[in-house]
Amino acid sequence: MLLMHWQERSKILRIQAQVKPFYQHLAHITQQINAYQVDKIAQGWSPSSATVFPNTFADLQPTYLPSCSTTDNNAGKCRKPEQTPWGATMAMTKVNNPIPPSVTPRYRLKLQIPLPVANSDATRLEHQAVLETLSRFPGSEYNESGNVLYVWVERIDAGVQQDALVKRSGDDSTLTGDWDVGGNFAITNAKDFTVRNSDGSQRSLAAGTVATLVAKNNQRIDKHHCPTGLTPSIATSIKGIFNQTSTDKPIDSVSTSRSYAISSATYWTVKLDYWTKVDGEVTTMHDGEVTVQLTCQ
């Protein structure tokens, strides 16, 4: 009896020695899945999203795991990353596990490793040896009914920290306090900024005043550039009316007056018209100044 037990144990140890390289291979796969996560997060994807995990082993090849064609595999030149030494094929599944009470998606990756079938004394020893070895793998879970070992790959630790940061993608990145950039730096090259109104609506700063200036009649104002989706606009108002043509003749009783702008392809022409009495005669004049506001609408 003792000799039989020793023989079985020796066989188990020999099988485990053969399984050890696969254990290391499995560790390499999880490391490369983490590398895949890092690259996806760097592209702006949320660390908790499904996108940061591969769909199949093919997504990891050849950037993260070496490729092995079916032809080379059949010829014995290489082994596909998902193959096991006992002839089974691993699979992967994305699983959404939100943390209650939150319903926000939080994905993990489950590697499914079919184990040798224990339907004889010989295969029972192989099954036992494989299970003893792989069950030590971090994040592993044995499903007896399916004879499958699950290996859970969590989102990377840095992903937990990045959830608290403002993400490049803007997803789930609401600030929890005022953002002070320190007074020595600027926020540049933005398409737009919006401000929350008292009723919850948003006001675009890009659509606000671009410039204010003073012009005279027939003065050209170049059309300015606006953010995508907005067009240049001009507004005028009379700043002052005075007789510049004959400074020694005062203006008396101005009646109708108006300021406006005539649009051309690349500029506006500012106009000022009013009717007044000069030396007792009603005349049309254009002397004075016009306040000009350039906006984007």
Side-chain angles (χ1 to χ4, degrees):
M1 177 68 85
L2 182 61
L3 178 61
M4 185 179 297
H5 176 74
W6 180 84
Q7 289 176 336
E8 284 190 359
R9 194 61 198 166
S10 296
K11 186 174 183 179
I12 289 175
L13 291 176
R14 287 196 302 270
I15 296 173
Q16 287 179 335
Q18 297 171 356
V19 175
K20 185 177 179 180
F22 178 74
Y23 185 102
Q24 296 170 340
H25 173 63
L26 188 58
H28 179 63
I29 288 175
T30 57
Q31 290 172 357
Q32 294 308 96
I33 291 174
N34 286 340
Y36 184 93
Q37 288 190 72
V38 170
D39 290 342
K40 287 297 182 181
I41 292 172
Q43 293 172 12
W45 294 101
S46 168
S48 298
S49 68
T51 309
V52 301
F53 288 109
N55 293 304
T56 65
F57 279 91
D59 291 341
L60 298 173
Q61 301 172 68
T63 304
Y64 304 94
L65 293 174
S67 298
C68 178
S69 68
T70 301
T71 301
D72 289 343
N73 181 246
N74 292 337
K77 296 180 179 180
C78 60
R79 176 183 291 169
K80 291 180 179 291
E82 62 269 30
Q83 289 180 318
T84 68
W86 51 92
T89 300
M90 293 186 289
M92 60 175 62
T93 305
K94 300 178 184 181
V95 180
N96 183 18
N97 289 129
I99 300 176
S102 173
V103 295
T104 301
R106 183 181 185 275
Y107 280 87
R108 302 190 295 165
L109 190 69
K110 181 172 68 174
L111 298 179
Q112 299 141 265
I113 309 172
L115 298 186
V117 178
N119 54 10
S120 67
D121 288 343
T123 56
R124 179 182 59 81
L125 289 178
E126 183 182 22
H127 179 275
Q128 182 180 346
V130 172
L131 181 58
E132 283 185 7
T133 303
L134 296 185
S135 61
R136 301 189 187 102
F137 196 88
S140 62
E141 173 189 351
Y142 178 56
N143 182 291
E144 185 174 4
S145 62
N147 193 31
V148 177
L149 186 77
Y150 298 144
V151 173
W152 291 95
V153 182
E154 305 289 343
R155 63 179 185 171
I156 56 176
D157 293 340
V160 178
Q161 300 175 7
Q162 290 188 46
D163 262 359
L165 301 177
V166 177
K167 302 176 183 63
R168 293 174 61 192
S169 65
D171 297 332
D172 190 27
S173 295
T174 303
L175 296 176
T176 57
D178 293 338
W179 196 355
D180 185 352
V181 297
N184 296 318
F185 301 96
I187 299 175
T188 64
N189 202 29
K191 179 181 179 180
D192 196 4
F193 291 95
T194 60
V195 178
R196 184 181 186 275
N197 297 320
S198 59
D199 62 353
S201 61
Q202 299 290 316
R203 179 179 296 275
S204 169
L205 298 187
T209 299
V210 174
T212 301
L213 52 99
V214 175
K216 294 182 178 180
N217 184 60
N218 284 333
Q219 181 175 334
R220 288 185 177 184
I221 306 294
D222 291 335
K223 289 187 176 180
H224 51 283
H225 298 286
C226 290
T228 302
L230 300 177
T231 56
S233 180
I234 187 172
T236 65
S237 61
I238 297 176
K239 182 177 184 290
I241 291 175
F242 41 83
N243 192 346
Q244 292 177 300
T245 304
S246 302
T247 56
D248 59 330
K249 298 180 180 180
I251 293 175
D252 182 31
S253 64
V254 175
S255 58
T256 304
S257 61
R258 64 171 182 168
S259 64
Y260 55 101
I262 299 175
S263 179
S264 299
T266 60
Y267 62 89
W268 291 284
T269 302
V270 177
K271 306 294 285 186
L272 173 61
D273 301 334
Y274 58 92
W275 288 259
T276 184
K277 283 185 178 181
V278 178
D279 284 344
E281 294 184 7
V282 177
T283 184
T284 302
M285 297 191 65
H286 310 282
D287 294 345
E289 294 179 332
V290 176
T291 300
V292 176
Q293 287 187 318
L294 304 178
T295 62
C296 294
Q297 295 182 345

